[in-house]
Amino acid sequence: MRVLPYLLIWCFLSACTSGAIDNGNVDDPFENFNRKSYRFSESVDGNFLAPVARGYARVTPDPIEEGIRNVFKNFNNAPSAINGFLQGDVETGFNELSRLIVNSTLGLGGLIDLATIWGINEKKEDIGQTLAVWGIKESPFIYLPIFGPTTLRDLPVRFVGMSMPRLIIGEDFPGYVTALQVISQRADLIEVIEQRDSNAIDAYAFTRDAYIQRRAFEIYNGDPPVEDFFDEFEEE
Amino acid sequence: MQITYSLVVVWILCFLAGSIEASESQYHFEIKKVDEFHEALIQVMQSPNATEREKLLFPKVKALYDVVSISRISVGRAWRSLADSQKDEFVALLTELIVATYSDRFREYDEQYFELLGTEPINKGVIIKTSINKRNDQLATLNYYFRGDQVFNVVANGISDLSLRRSEYGSIIKEQGYDQLVKEIKNKTNEIKASY
């Protein structure tokens, strides 16, 4: 009986794969909700988060900004290692574990990304990629208010990412760390979002498709299947 | 035994070097086209103004990109119902948008350079894999998808330009119709040019 909730979740996620990709177009059954959520999130971002992130990027010296970025990156080495092993990719699992150990100790608690300097490059595995490897290749797109783009399969990734600092620091976790994490991540996206806004005609569709493509890139470790765009036309 | 082992290793290395060379000489035409385009981008970055940049880019974009196929794929099923004049108009608009986008993105020269990373055959074509770099840092990977002798897609850091266009344009056509898409493309081109 204890297994039943997990079976139901699995069935739900698996059922999501029945939302087929039509000629490469994204499965977006919640589009009405997603567009409203996107507009709301952009409003909050434009009025509050983006100005704060720009201010942070402007006043924070680059080495300190990089140090803060490295600390948060280091928090994710632990779940990345676990997910590497869960996918049966032992090499990646040990790679991420090595990064965690090297950066946490010699890298002064993650401030210095010594592992990358030594050639132990980041692999960035997560639970969403693990579920994809286990068979849930496609999943409906959802745009969460404030949190941004994800799929039903990738939902846990958001919560793990935000929870890791609290889990690692423990009871003494200061609340401002979450705020700093959000601002640091938003600052890293300043240029990308500016480029999207200057190039996109339908920014929501652009964001949705870019997210799905990026995830495919990560799931297939940089080598996703090549889509045959001409397939549809060769049937004519 | 040691001499035999060394000979085998040398033979394998020669074979591999030969294979890589064969692959690059097999796609010599496509590699040359991409190289010429990249040389043009360097010149564009060193150009003094937007007019110069667009003048340099226009013939290069037309030579490299199969804008007709890009138009057809990104508009999708609606393309079949368009008149020939509408198709010609769309191809011209899209060419202008591509030129404006490149002109906007490649505005400043700061010792960037392009590097050939490899090739990969695909159905009826090839992917020419390159990167844009600055000093020792790789800024982005740029993979050019050829079918025949022109490019129909560029994938930058894993993101396909053609897939993005198809998603956006399909969304606008579905919600607001083809005419609105044409208007939006014109507006976007004017917006980009106004920001030069």
Side-chain angles (χ1 to χ4, degrees):
Chain A
M1 281 306 286
R2 270 192 222 167
V3 165
L4 185 60
Y6 299 100
L7 269 179
L8 284 171
I9 291 168
W10 184 267
C11 287
F12 174 68
L13 288 172
S14 302
C16 295
T17 66
S18 67
I21 297 289
D22 174 26
N23 291 326
N25 291 323
V26 175
D27 181 17
D28 195 1
F30 312 121
E31 189 170 346
N32 281 339
F33 165 81
N34 286 337
R35 282 190 180 266
K36 286 178 186 145
S37 175
Y38 174 79
R39 280 195 293 271
F40 169 75
S41 304
E42 285 295 298
S43 171
V44 170
D45 184 69
N47 289 313
F48 174 68
L49 193 52
V52 170
R54 275 191 216 105
Y56 163 82
R58 208 165 21 241
V59 307
T60 312
D62 286 348
I64 295 179
E65 209 184 323
E66 196 181 326
I68 292 170
R69 187 184 303 122
N70 288 341
V71 166
F72 289 121
K73 251 189 354 183
N74 193 45
F75 284 140
N76 283 319
N77 284 329
S80 185
I82 292 168
N83 281 293
F85 290 124
L86 285 174
Q87 291 171 34
D89 188 349
V90 174
E91 191 184 327
T92 294
F94 280 118
N95 185 85
E96 299 302 274
L97 202 54
S98 306
R99 286 182 55 79
L100 179 67
I101 293 167
V102 165
N103 286 343
S104 301
T105 55
L106 301 171
L108 306 175
L111 273 170
I112 305 167
D113 188 358
L114 211 52
T116 299
I117 295 167
W118 287 357
I120 313 170
N121 294 318
E122 200 182 7
K123 301 284 183 180
K124 275 172 95 167
E125 298 295 336
D126 56 55
I127 184 66
Q129 292 180 64
T130 298
L131 290 172
V133 166
W134 285 358
I136 305 173
K137 287 275 185 280
E138 314 296 350
S139 183
F141 179 79
I142 187 156
Y143 197 100
L144 297 174
I146 312 298
F147 287 98
T150 184
T151 62
L152 289 179
R153 179 199 62 213
D154 294 332
L155 262 177
V157 179
R158 294 275 170 194
F159 301 119
V160 168
M162 297 305 292
S163 312
M164 278 319 295
R166 184 181 288 275
L167 281 170
I168 288 170
I169 295 171
E171 276 177 15
D172 297 328
F173 179 79
Y176 65 78
V177 172
T178 303
L180 185 57
Q181 186 182 14
V182 169
I183 292 165
S184 171
Q185 286 174 353
R186 180 59 182 88
D188 286 345
L189 293 173
I190 287 171
E191 210 179 296
V192 166
I193 290 180
E194 276 173 4
Q195 276 196 8
R196 178 204 65 188
D197 290 342
S198 71
N199 291 303
I201 295 174
D202 180 341
Y204 164 77
F206 187 105
T207 304
R208 179 187 63 195
D209 200 74
Y211 173 82
I212 294 295
Q213 285 194 59
R214 187 67 204 170
R215 286 301 280 165
F217 187 77
E218 288 170 348
I219 287 163
Y220 289 96
N221 294 322
D223 195 18
V226 176
E227 185 183 349
D228 190 345
F229 290 94
F230 293 87
D231 209 22
E232 181 194 340
F233 297 97
E234 270 159 10
E235 286 164 11
E236 292 171 22
Chain B
M1 203 49 188
Q2 239 180 345
I3 293 170
T4 314
Y5 175 74
S6 305
L7 281 172
V8 168
V9 168
V10 167
W11 181 84
I12 291 170
L13 286 172
C14 287
F15 177 76
L16 285 173
S19 301
I20 292 164
E21 255 184 54
S23 161
E24 285 190 14
S25 67
Q26 186 183 358
Y27 301 117
H28 172 74
F29 172 80
E30 290 86 353
I31 290 170
K32 189 161 173 270
K33 270 199 120 159
V34 170
D35 276 345
E36 282 169 2
F37 187 70
H38 285 167
E39 274 163 26
L41 288 180
I42 301 280
Q43 286 174 12
V44 161
M45 285 190 274
Q46 293 168 329
S47 290
N49 58 54
T51 314
E52 266 303 309
R53 291 200 299 267
E54 286 193 3
K55 227 167 85 173
L56 269 166
L57 276 166
F58 193 81
K60 297 296 180 189
V61 163
K62 284 203 80 174
L64 182 69
Y65 285 98
D66 180 0
V67 186
V68 173
S69 292
I70 294 170
S71 302
R72 194 175 62 155
I73 292 165
S74 52
V75 170
R77 295 207 150 91
W79 186 258
R80 291 175 212 169
S81 57
L82 298 180
D84 285 348
S85 57
Q86 285 177 300
K87 290 177 183 174
D88 290 342
E89 182 200 29
F90 191 89
V91 170
L93 276 176
L94 191 54
T95 307
E96 210 183 328
L97 177 61
I98 293 171
V99 168
T101 307
Y102 269 112
S103 180
D104 185 48
R105 290 263 188 90
F106 290 87
R107 271 201 243 191
E108 279 172 34
Y109 182 65
D110 189 14
E111 293 175 23
Q112 296 96 324
Y113 63 95
F114 295 91
E115 200 180 339
L116 175 69
L117 300 177
T119 62
E120 182 185 326
I122 52 172
N123 182 29
K124 296 184 185 175
V126 63
I127 306 171
I128 306 297
K129 298 181 179 182
T130 72
S131 66
I132 179 168
N133 312 282
K134 191 161 83 173
R135 298 182 195 101
N136 290 325
D137 292 327
Q138 187 185 80
L139 299 176
T141 57
L142 298 168
N143 293 347
Y144 295 87
Y145 285 58
F146 276 84
R147 185 167 166 120
D149 58 3
Q150 286 187 300
V151 168
F152 68 91
N153 189 18
V154 181
V155 175
N157 283 349
I159 305 293
S160 158
D161 178 68
L162 184 55
S163 184
L164 286 176
R165 275 189 211 283
R166 185 179 57 181
S167 189
E168 281 189 274
Y169 296 178
S171 199
I172 294 169
I173 291 172
K174 185 176 128 188
E175 299 301 318
Q176 301 169 77
Y178 173 77
D179 290 340
Q180 185 62 26
L181 173 64
V182 169
K183 251 189 225 154
E184 297 278 0
I185 290 176
K186 283 179 182 163
N187 288 342
K188 180 54 66 175
T189 307
N190 291 336
E191 202 182 292
I192 293 173
K193 287 182 176 185
S195 75
Y196 283 165

